[in-house]
Amino acid sequence: MYFPSWLSQLYRGLSRPIRRTTQPIWGSLYRSLLQSSQRRIPEFSSFVVRTNTCGELRSSHLGQEVTLCGWIQYRRQNTFLVLRDFDGLVQVIIPQDESAASVKKILCEAPVESVVQVSGTVISRPAGQENPKMPTGEIEIKVKTAELLNACKKLPFEIKDFVKKTEALRLQYRYLDLRSFQMQYNLRLRSQMVMKMREYLCNLHGFVDIETPTLFKRTPGGAKEFLVPSREPGKFYSLPQSPQQFKQLLMVGGLDRYFQVARCYRDEGSRPDRQPEFTQIDIEMSFVDQTGIQSLIEGLLQYSWPNDKDPVVVPFPTMTFAEALATYGTDKPDTRFGMKIIDISDVFRNTEIGFLQDALSKPHGTVKAICIPEGAKYLKRKDIESIRKFAADHFNQEILPVFLNANRNWNSPVANFIMESQRLELIRLMETQEEDVVLLTAGEHNKACSLLGKLRLECADLLETRGVVLRDPTLFSFLWVVDFPLFLPKEENPRELESAHHPFTAPHPSDIHLLYTEPKKARSQHYDLVLNGNEIGGGSIRIHNAELQRYILATLLKEDVKMLSHLLQALDYGAPPHGGIALGLDRLICLVTGSPSIRDVIAFPKSFRGHDLMSNTPDSVPPEELKPYHIRVSRPTDSKAERAH
Ligand code: ASP
């Protein structure tokens, strides 16, 4: 029987989730081998000196003369070594007879991770020495010739997935880190999903893959952009935060359906799920509405989803922004578990508890709560203290923990002030069980919800570190969030408005009149795609009317319309109605592979602080090289020195 290697499995779409804590060994996808699929396995040995890959050899190859190239994974007692390539591992017998002394010398002396080429015969392993854990475990290679292609010096770390190394070291020697099973797996899975996406978009739905410039100009509003100096004094390019304007202009140009695997840049520092440069599956279509875009994306994910995972179920559920905020305290709810926010204002209308009374006496005051299942059992006193401190420090809010212990006594600082009727009503509304803890806060709706939304996630993490299973790690819970407000108050000046998505987003058709009366109340045709509590995509139906676009930019957003005159002009020349979306590819692959960070699904990522630790980027440039750009660097120390004189 022919057992395809793990790579072939991947090509057949039989990828298996690789858990972080396991020791993914080359060829460990063995158990899923028997699943079948109709997809073609690529020819891995065309055009090159090898005849086969290390990982593909099986009993069906017995007797074949093969040439293999690979890295020495390990050697045992100078009798055999294990050779590795991208496809897996194979055991090579080191010849012991005098006539093969030179082959023996090469194979015994080459350090681990050296690259060698061996030729020999595929033979069966002696009875009892088969290794069922290894896909190639029934055979070994009887070597005739060997060549050391390149020796390896002492390594900064072992190329074994289970050997722990710091991320900084991994990034510094990324080319070595890429040899790990996990990185190979992540990058190959990514490549395959993108391939399927291309197939779906271009071949099945007539999209055109178009590249757009990365040297562009500043876009008003939105993220901070990287600047690139030009040779014209004081003039700069900007690296685009997305191809937004170009994709809209392509619609004006009649391209009808555009897509691009687009590199985007935002100068906002890295976070676990952010990078200064990242990749989007960027899409735009003419003559489409919100449901059209949603169906397209559901189909796209369904089509490109790895076969071994539970199939993507469509259509995805939809939630309004208002509901997401009220129930989960965020616009990207993790719907894999409950602990929803409940409005319990009515329970406390006649309360004697000071801060609740205070809050409810204000016009938009509310009392809200979440119930932590078995919190009394799993949360410690110091957890509750740090929850209260977090609420005070970050939200200026009070949190009241209400314990309901086994003999139904309230064990909370203000328990005595909660009347029996309130207690019963609370239990009914919150559906609390014994051992649950209710976290209660009071204040303005958005603030109370945001705080509880954060605490909901914090407590879920805490419970999970203590062994409670709240979120099924194999579950992928997609959600559309819709009906966002068109504008939000600016953080730095809440009396001014900024776009909730971007300034090209069309208002909700039934709210257009509000733009001229109460713009803050206008909803938009903006939709976000959320997966397990992460925003993995967002888009909108666009404004295709130049006058409306100008009004929003100039009057409501107070932007300089001259910067966008090209777009405004284009809209006036018969722009079709259009809309689009962008999916964050790095985040999506990160979630699919269960990786802890998006850096684990990018070949050469930047560090947390935006540096490439391998090449030491960004780097300084000598002043002569800056001259053509009319730029002079003033270092913080220079100006300090100047001031000192
Ligand atoms: N350009 C938007 C973004 O990068 C996506 C879109 O509206 O299509 O978030």
Side-chain angles (χ1 to χ4, degrees):
M1 190 183 335
Y2 172 67
F3 287 99
S5 64
W6 75 269
L7 190 72
S8 318
Q9 293 298 312
L10 196 61
Y11 275 91
R12 289 180 167 176
L14 299 178
S15 47
R16 240 169 45 120
I18 302 301
R19 274 185 293 134
R20 268 170 254 157
T21 47
T22 56
Q23 304 170 6
I25 311 274
W26 294 86
S28 68
L29 297 178
Y30 182 61
R31 276 174 297 280
S32 53
L33 298 182
L34 293 174
Q35 298 180 42
S36 65
S37 157
Q38 304 310 314
R39 300 190 56 213
R40 219 185 114 98
I41 300 172
E43 176 51 73
F44 291 123
S45 295
S46 43
F47 316 118
V48 292
V49 293
R50 66 167 175 257
T51 57
N52 296 81
T53 63
C54 296
E56 79 176 293
L57 298 174
R58 300 288 182 276
S59 298
S60 56
H61 296 88
L62 283 179
Q64 285 187 16
E65 296 296 316
V66 294
T67 296
L68 308 174
C69 298
W71 286 260
I72 299 177
Q73 176 89 356
Y74 59 85
R75 180 173 28 236
R76 192 159 296 156
Q77 294 151 359
N78 287 350
T79 55
F80 68 84
L81 55 81
V82 170
L83 204 60
R84 183 196 76 235
D85 65 13
F86 64 93
D87 195 14
L89 303 167
V90 69
Q91 180 159 299
V92 171
I93 302 299
I94 302 175
Q96 302 297 328
D97 40 316
E98 206 43 46
S99 61
S102 63
V103 173
K104 181 175 180 184
K105 185 170 157 52
I106 290 170
L107 296 181
C108 289
E109 287 180 3
V112 164
E113 286 303 312
S114 296
V115 198
V116 294
Q117 180 178 326
V118 297
S119 295
T121 318
V122 181
I123 57 170
S124 10
R125 293 197 188 186
Q129 289 185 26
E130 301 87 355
N131 181 353
K133 288 197 191 128
M134 215 173 160
T136 61
E138 292 184 351
I139 58 102
E140 54 194 8
I141 309 298
K142 185 166 186 261
V143 180
K144 293 202 181 88
T145 62
E147 190 183 339
L148 174 64
L149 299 178
N150 212 346
C152 180
K153 288 206 172 132
K154 186 168 166 15
L155 290 163
F157 53 79
E158 274 189 78
I159 314 292
K160 306 238 164 38
D161 287 70
F162 57 84
V163 174
K164 289 258 171 294
K165 39 240 165 215
T166 63
E167 193 179 39
L169 195 65
R170 287 177 54 203
L171 292 181
Q172 188 185 345
Y173 297 95
R174 188 57 156 184
Y175 45 85
L176 293 180
D177 187 44
L178 292 176
R179 290 185 193 170
S180 70
F181 175 88
Q182 190 69 70
M183 284 306 302
Q184 293 266 329
Y185 174 85
N186 291 355
L187 294 180
R188 287 170 197 277
L189 182 90
R190 177 179 175 131
S191 158
Q192 278 181 24
M193 279 188 77
V194 170
M195 192 58 166
K196 295 281 277 172
M197 288 182 181
R198 284 184 193 282
E199 228 173 78
Y200 177 85
L201 290 167
C202 293
N203 297 352
L204 300 186
H205 292 285
F207 280 76
V208 192
D209 179 354
I210 302 173
E211 290 163 74
T212 55
T214 49
L215 290 178
F216 190 43
K217 68 186 290 186
R218 264 182 51 221
T219 311
K224 274 218 183 79
E225 290 166 341
F226 285 99
L227 290 178
V228 180
S230 82
R231 286 166 192 262
E232 290 177 51
K235 297 219 169 150
F236 292 82
Y237 300 100
S238 281
L239 300 183
Q241 42 183 299
S242 84
Q244 185 59 38
Q245 291 184 48
F246 289 109
K247 64 177 175 172
Q248 291 193 236
L249 292 166
L250 287 169
M251 296 304 105
V252 182
L255 267 301
D256 197 72
R257 292 170 174 230
Y258 142 94
F259 110 94
Q260 179 179 193
V261 181
R263 186 61 61 86
C264 306
Y265 306 86
R266 293 182 196 172
D267 188 7
E268 293 182 327
S270 292
R271 284 201 237 139
D273 62 348
R274 290 231 173 129
Q275 278 275 292
E277 51 181 324
F278 58 96
T279 308
Q280 286 187 345
I281 303 295
D282 198 42
I283 291 173
E284 196 75 8
M285 292 169 89
S286 295
F287 314 110
V288 72
D289 62 11
Q290 186 163 317
T291 50
I293 299 279
Q294 289 176 332
S295 305
L296 170 83
I297 295 302
E298 287 163 358
L300 175 74
L301 287 166
Q302 209 171 29
Y303 189 82
S304 58
W305 203 247
N307 288 0
D308 66 320
K309 305 207 184 321
D310 290 344
V312 169
V313 179
V314 301
F316 301 153
T318 296
M319 192 182 287
T320 65
F321 169 79
E323 191 187 343
L325 188 68
T327 320
Y328 295 96
T330 173
D331 59 358
K332 38 178 193 289
D334 188 341
T335 44
R336 286 173 300 172
F337 67 106
M339 286 166 63
K340 294 179 187 172
I341 301 170
I342 314 265
D343 192 307
I344 50 169
S345 309
D346 288 341
V347 181
F348 290 101
R349 292 278 170 222
N350 305 316
T351 185
E352 288 169 30
I353 302 171
F355 85 99
L356 301 185
Q357 230 175 30
D358 246 25
L360 288 173
S361 66
K362 304 217 168 92
H364 298 290
T366 59
V367 182
K368 313 249 181 205
I370 53 172
C371 173
I372 318 291
E374 296 190 282
K377 191 156 130 203
Y378 292 107
L379 297 185
K380 305 191 173 115
R381 181 172 289 271
K382 80 170 195 328
D383 298 325
I384 299 287
E385 272 159 27
S386 61
I387 285 171
R388 300 186 80 173
K389 185 166 162 17
F390 173 86
D393 293 352
H394 294 88
F395 287 79
N396 196 19
Q397 287 272 124
E398 248 191 88
I399 283 282
L400 181 63
V402 183
F403 287 84
L404 179 63
N405 69 15
N407 50 27
R408 295 194 170 255
N409 283 330
W410 293 91
N411 173 14
S412 123
V414 283
N416 296 341
F417 296 99
I418 296 179
M419 293 180 288
E420 181 61 10
S421 59
Q422 289 173 330
R423 188 177 80 89
L424 292 176
E425 185 56 4
L426 199 55
I427 290 174
R428 190 186 69 78
L429 278 177
M430 306 290 304
E431 295 176 8
T432 52
Q433 312 270 330
E434 291 183 2
E435 307 258 40
D436 290 355
V437 174
V438 169
L439 296 181
L440 194 150
T441 193
E444 187 263 324
H445 173 82
N446 285 2
K447 203 168 161 193
C449 290
S450 305
L451 167 60
L452 290 179
K454 286 246 156 47
L455 295 183
R456 173 179 177 265
L457 294 175
E458 284 294 318
C459 291
D461 287 347
L462 261 175
L463 291 184
E464 284 188 339
T465 58
R466 308 220 164 123
V468 182
V469 181
L470 278 178
R471 292 168 285 203
D472 175 356
T474 63
L475 194 71
F476 291 94
S477 177
F478 287 98
L479 175 76
W480 289 108
V481 179
V482 299
D483 284 356
F484 280 82
L486 190 54
F487 306 110
L488 291 172
K490 265 191 188 162
E491 235 171 72
E492 60 282 9
N493 180 2
R495 268 183 303 173
E496 287 182 15
L497 296 179
E498 64 184 5
S499 304
H501 187 47
H502 54 54
F504 315 112
T505 299
H508 197 286
S510 40
D511 289 358
I512 295 186
H513 63 284
L514 292 172
L515 296 180
Y516 306 94
T517 53
E518 292 177 286
K520 268 190 199 163
K521 289 206 175 139
R523 288 165 305 159
S524 69
Q525 296 189 65
H526 158 201
Y527 31 82
D528 270 356
L529 182 60
V530 175
L531 173 56
N532 294 352
N534 299 273
E535 183 195 323
I536 57 156
S540 60
I541 300 302
R542 326 295 184 189
I543 298 166
H544 63 275
N545 174 303
E547 208 179 308
L548 179 60
Q549 183 68 81
R550 198 172 286 114
Y551 172 74
I552 287 185
L553 284 168
T555 311
L556 299 181
L557 296 172
K558 313 259 183 288
E559 293 288 359
D560 178 4
V561 281
K562 279 208 292 296
M563 281 179 69
L564 285 168
S565 54
H566 54 284
L567 186 81
L568 289 166
Q569 197 174 33
L571 294 184
D572 260 336
Y573 290 131
H578 59 287
I581 191 165
L583 295 183
L585 183 66
D586 310 299
R587 252 185 233 177
L588 175 65
I589 304 291
C590 181
L591 291 167
V592 172
T593 55
S595 302
S597 145
I598 58 167
R599 292 186 289 280
D600 289 327
V601 300
I602 298 173
F604 297 102
K606 301 281 183 285
S607 75
F608 206 59
R609 298 174 61 202
H611 291 187
D612 174 352
L613 301 180
M614 181 182 67
S615 64
N616 188 27
T617 306
D619 206 354
S620 45
V621 171
E624 320 79 86
E625 282 184 31
L626 287 177
K627 262 203 189 126
Y629 301 106
H630 315 276
I631 285 180
R632 206 161 59 88
V633 175
S634 90
R635 294 197 167 74
T637 45
D638 294 350
S639 47
K640 259 194 220 151
E642 267 167 34
R643 263 185 270 127
H645 282 99

